[in-house]
Structure formats: structure tokens, C-alpha cells
Amino acid sequence: FQICFLLFAVLYIVSYFIITRYKRKADEQEDEDAIVNRISLFLSTFTLAVSAGAVLLLPFSIISNEILLSFPQNYYIQWLNGSLIHGLWNLASLFSNLCLFVLMPFAFFFLESEGFAGLKKGIRARILETLVMLILLALLILGIVWVASALIDNDAASMESLYDLWEFYLPYLYSCISLMGCLLLLLCTPVGLSRMFTVMGQLLVKPTILEDLDEQMYIITLEEEAIQRKLNGVSSTVEYQTVELERELEKVKSKKTNLERRKKASAWERNLVYPAVMILLLIQTSFSVLLVALNILYLLVDETAMPKGSGGPGIGNASLSTFGFVGAALEIILIFYLMVSSVVGFYSLRFFENFTPRKDDTTMTKIIGNCVSILVLSSALPVMSRTLGITRFDLLGDFGRFNWLGNFYIVLSYNLLFAIMTTLCLVRKFTSAVREELLKALGLDKLHLSNNPRDSETKPSANGHQKTL
């Protein structure tokens, strides 16, 4: 219990600092609203900590199994046993259900509540309205699940089992949510795997190929001075012109900062770090697709390759990887890489672009939505990793009680779709990126040879002349 409490305390503190970094400071004004926002903040922090625990649980279990195999009689790791890991999985499943079905809906309704008409305004009135809304939401979800169960499996035994709220209904409902999370990961992860190259390209300094940084710095400095002179000459009464010039000045300053960073970067950072990181990302992505392809073959020839195919040898009895500790380390790296890629892909989708949190400018409603989304993704990550064959670790607790994991056609279709979508995203990403970079490097971008609409927005080359072969 002490170990679980310490681990969760660390995750809670880290989650609190992350949320307060993005939370809008202007929300804390009135006394009553300040209390409501503070309660919602604590509930959101708790949910984000549970999400982080769900993400770290599978890598922790894999590395714990390898440590127990390597040092079975070591006195200092006696606390690391199968009962602890089983308990962590059960707690993660319980808290995920609690956050998803109770805490986050309560935080949202409590934040939006004002109290029923005719009652005295205050915290009690808002709590009463929130509880009523939660009861109505629970009845609505109960009815939806009941109808869905009747349509899918019209059996008297399955209908009667819905009366067992704790042993069947909540795991069945969480199984449906997990299936939705896996489908969302199926959509986000391939996009994120291709988007990771762009994100790392923005964080790192690219090599300078056929570029004159001094000349570009000179031109961007002249643009900044010209916009500054226009801004000083514009009358304060013409507000729209001032706003437009300030936006242009911010863009120019941002470009100047990037050029200064590229100019100050050392030669090894430009010519060694960037290619090495890109090659590493390509290797990880290709390895993930290769593992999924091998898992498809295993599914076709071996029934035990199914996520529910075997019960597993247990914690500390056998290695989960063919290559031992090295293979387990590679599995952990791939799991974290897939999680980061899924989050990047989630915020890269057009439907969720406005959902991206901003530093010191994110409302509590948007923070609650982000916490729920991350909780769904993190809870589905162990299931997706097991379904795709990234790891052979058998899910413990309620994570392994999902009925759809035993359906051969669902698991096979999931693997095929993941491999095909990831390959298509990578092919499209590399063909368009290489084409654009070659056109820009050779000065042919003004000819609009690319079909990408972004090419029409490219600016002339630094020296104002078109470069030719």
C-alpha cells in the first residue's frame, strides 16, 4: 500500500504542475467560482495522474518481470512480486472506471451548474444539481447499454447478467469504452507516427543545404525594420491596421529567432543530430510495422497468438520476450513511442485542433475534456499493445476481461488496418516532404511543381533569384 501511495503521489504532483501550466489564470476571481474551479482542478489532476499510471503500468510490469527473472533471490527486490503487480492493475482499472464514469462527469456538471431555480444559490445548490445530472446520466448510459446488449446478444443469460452491476455491467461498459479508445488509437497513431518527423524537425536544427543564412538574416532584419517604421507611422485611431502590422511583426520576429538559432547551432548539431534522430524515428516506426506484420502471421497460424489465447506463465516465471532483457527494453521503448505518437496524432487531427491546450490560456472545461481524452487513450494503450503483438504480456485485472479480445476477426482486422494505415501515412509523408525539400533547395518551388497546396504559400528564395541546376 505504501509503494502504491508513493507512486501515485509522485504522479499527482507532476500532473498538478502540468495542468497549472496550461490553466487560465483569469478563472480564479469570485469566491464561489474559485472553490468550484479548485475542486474541478483537483479532480482533473487526479484523472491525469491515473492516466499516467495506466501508461506506465505495462512497462513497469514488463521490466519487473525481467528483474525478478534476473535476481530471483535478491533481498532488496522482495517487495516486487506478483501480488503487487496484480494489485496495481486492479487499482488502475478501478480508478479508470471511477474517473471516467464519476469524477469527470461530476467535475464538468459541477463547473457548469448554477443551482435549481427557486433554491438559494451556493455550493450546496450546485452540488445538488450536479448529483441530479449524474443520476440522469447514469440512467441514460444504463439504458443505452441495455439496448445495445439486447441488439448484439439477445440471450436471457446475458440480459440477466446486467443486473450484476459490479461483476458484469461495469466491466462490460468499460470494455465498450476501451474498444472506442482502441479505435481512436487506430486513427491517431498512424497519423502521429508520420507527424513525429515534422514535430522533431521543428524542435531540431535542420542541415543547411544550398542556403545562405547570413543573407536571409539580412533580409529578415530589413523586413522587421520596415514593419516597425510602418507601425510607428500609423495613427492610433486606425486600429485594424495596427493589429495587422503587429501580427506581421510577430511573424517576422519568430522567423528571425529561428534563423538566429540555426546560425548559432554547431556543425555537428546540424549535420549529425538531425539525421540521426530522423533515422531513429524511421527505424522505430518500421520496426513497429514489422512486429504488426509478424503478429498477423502468428494470428493466422497459431491460436495462442490471440490476446485471450493463453493465461500466461505468471510474473517472474518466464521472459515475455524472445530476446530476454534486450527485447523487453525494446518493447518498452516502442510502447512509449506509440503513446507519444498517439497523443501527437490526436492533436493533429482537424476535429481536435481547437482542443489543443495553450499555456496559461486553457479553460477548465477544455482541461476536463483533455483529461478524459488522455484517460481513454492511456487506458486503451495496454490493450492496443497486446492486440498488435508489441508485447506478449497478458493483461491482468479488468484490463483482460474484454470480450472483444477473443474475437478473431476483430483482432485480425485491427492489425491489418493498423499496418495499412501506418504504411500509407509514412509513404505519403516521405514522398511529399522529400519533394518539397528538394524543390525548395533547388529554388524550383516558385514553379508550383508540387500538388501540395502549401507550395502556393512559399515565399521567394533568400537572394530573390531563381536557382537552377
Side-chain angles (χ1 to χ4, degrees):
F1 177 78
Q2 290 85 355
I3 297 174
C4 297
F5 179 77
L6 289 176
L7 291 175
F8 185 78
V10 173
L11 294 177
Y12 187 90
I13 293 172
V14 174
S15 302
Y16 179 80
F17 282 111
I18 292 175
I19 291 181
T20 53
R21 176 182 176 83
Y22 292 98
K23 181 178 177 294
R24 181 180 293 177
K25 306 301 181 184
D27 287 343
E28 300 179 0
Q29 294 179 354
E30 302 179 3
D31 294 337
E32 184 178 330
D33 292 336
I35 296 174
V36 173
N37 282 313
R38 197 175 299 116
I39 294 174
S40 301
L41 174 64
F42 292 154
L43 295 179
S44 301
T45 306
F46 183 85
T47 303
L48 188 59
V50 171
S51 304
V55 172
L56 297 174
L57 188 56
L58 183 58
F60 178 77
S61 302
I62 295 173
I63 198 67
S64 300
N65 182 72
E66 300 300 326
I67 291 175
L68 289 174
L69 284 175
S70 302
F71 308 99
Q73 303 298 330
N74 196 320
Y75 173 77
Y76 296 101
I77 61 171
Q78 293 299 316
W79 58 273
L80 193 63
N81 49 37
S83 61
L84 172 65
I85 297 175
H86 277 266
L88 288 175
W89 280 82
N90 289 326
L91 287 176
S93 178
L94 174 63
F95 286 147
S96 297
N97 282 282
L98 181 65
C99 294
L100 194 59
F101 300 120
V102 179
L103 297 185
M104 285 294 93
F106 178 86
F108 176 76
F109 290 132
F110 190 48
L111 196 66
E112 300 294 329
S113 64
E114 296 180 355
F116 292 112
L119 296 179
K120 184 179 180 181
K121 301 298 180 182
I123 299 296
R124 293 183 178 180
R126 300 178 74 162
I127 292 177
L128 178 61
E129 181 183 352
T130 303
L131 293 177
V132 172
M133 293 299 297
L134 284 178
I135 294 173
L136 294 177
L137 180 63
L139 293 176
L140 177 63
I141 295 177
L142 178 63
I144 292 175
V145 174
W146 191 282
V147 172
S149 178
L151 292 175
I152 296 173
D153 188 11
N154 192 9
D155 186 9
S158 63
M159 297 297 292
E160 291 178 0
S161 62
L162 286 176
Y163 290 107
D164 194 348
L165 184 66
W166 185 259
E167 291 295 329
F168 182 83
Y169 178 76
L170 285 180
Y172 178 79
L173 183 59
Y174 190 57
S175 176
C176 298
I177 299 296
S178 177
L179 179 59
M180 294 174 57
C182 287
L183 294 178
L184 184 60
L185 283 175
L186 181 63
L187 181 64
C188 296
T189 307
V191 177
L193 289 174
S194 61
R195 179 68 178 168
M196 284 292 292
F197 294 91
T198 304
V199 173
M200 296 306 298
Q202 295 173 353
L203 297 176
L204 300 176
V205 178
K206 297 182 179 180
T208 55
I209 303 175
L210 300 180
E211 286 184 296
D212 190 351
L213 295 180
D214 293 329
E215 190 174 1
Q216 293 185 27
M217 279 292 299
Y218 177 72
I219 293 175
I220 206 73
T221 303
L222 292 179
E223 290 183 11
E224 183 183 7
E225 293 176 354
I227 295 175
Q228 190 66 49
R229 285 196 297 268
K230 289 181 181 180
L231 190 60
N232 294 333
V234 172
S235 175
S236 59
T237 57
V238 188
E239 185 176 354
Y240 70 94
Q241 291 186 1
T242 305
V243 173
E244 287 293 329
L245 290 174
E246 287 179 351
R247 290 179 180 175
E248 292 183 8
L249 185 61
E250 289 296 328
K251 292 180 180 178
V252 171
K253 286 183 178 180
S254 177
K255 293 180 180 178
K256 185 178 180 181
T257 303
N258 293 332
L259 285 175
E260 289 177 349
R261 182 177 172 227
R262 294 183 62 186
K263 189 176 179 181
K264 292 179 181 179
S266 59
W268 71 271
E269 184 179 357
R270 289 196 304 265
N271 302 322
L272 182 61
V273 175
Y274 181 83
V277 172
M278 293 295 113
I279 292 174
L280 183 61
L281 291 178
L282 181 60
I283 292 174
Q284 288 182 339
T285 306
S286 304
F287 191 58
S288 301
V289 176
L290 180 61
L291 286 179
V292 175
L294 292 175
N295 189 55
I296 293 174
L297 296 178
Y298 289 148
L299 289 172
L300 295 175
V301 300
D302 190 2
E303 294 182 356
T304 59
M306 290 289 294
K308 279 194 171 183
S310 61
I315 303 297
N317 295 327
S319 179
L320 301 173
S321 176
T322 307
F323 301 100
F325 193 86
V326 177
L330 291 177
E331 289 181 2
I332 293 173
I333 293 174
L334 284 179
I335 290 171
F336 281 118
Y337 180 59
L338 290 178
M339 184 60 197
V340 174
S341 301
S342 64
V343 173
V344 171
F346 176 79
Y347 290 114
S348 299
L349 297 176
R350 293 184 178 181
F351 186 75
F352 300 106
E353 281 183 353
N354 297 327
F355 214 52
T356 307
R358 298 180 179 179
K359 182 182 178 182
D360 297 331
D361 192 28
T362 307
T363 60
M364 275 305 305
T365 304
K366 188 176 289 187
I367 287 177
I368 292 173
N370 279 273
C371 291
V372 171
S373 303
I374 293 176
L375 177 62
V376 172
L377 293 176
S378 61
S379 299
L381 178 67
V383 184
M384 186 191 74
S385 302
R386 181 67 181 92
T387 305
L388 295 178
I390 304 297
T391 179
R392 296 295 175 184
F393 185 85
D394 288 294
L395 305 178
L396 305 173
D398 289 338
F399 280 92
R401 296 173 61 183
F402 301 152
N403 295 328
W404 62 270
L405 288 178
N407 192 310
F408 173 77
Y409 297 102
I410 293 179
V411 174
L412 181 63
S413 301
Y414 193 89
N415 282 265
L416 288 172
L417 286 174
F418 183 87
I420 294 172
M421 291 176 63
T422 304
T423 304
L424 290 178
C425 289
L426 287 177
V427 170
R428 182 179 179 275
K429 172 67 179 177
F430 276 105
T431 53
S432 61
V434 171
R435 183 174 63 250
E436 291 175 11
E437 292 297 329
L438 286 177
L439 291 177
K440 290 179 182 179
L442 299 175
L444 300 176
D445 52 325
K446 293 186 292 184
L447 298 180
H448 305 291
L449 298 177
S450 175
N451 294 327
N452 197 327
R454 294 181 181 178
D455 292 341
S456 60
E457 301 176 359
T458 55
K459 294 187 177 181
S461 58
N463 54 9
H465 300 285
Q466 179 180 341
K467 300 173 184 177
T468 57
L469 285 172

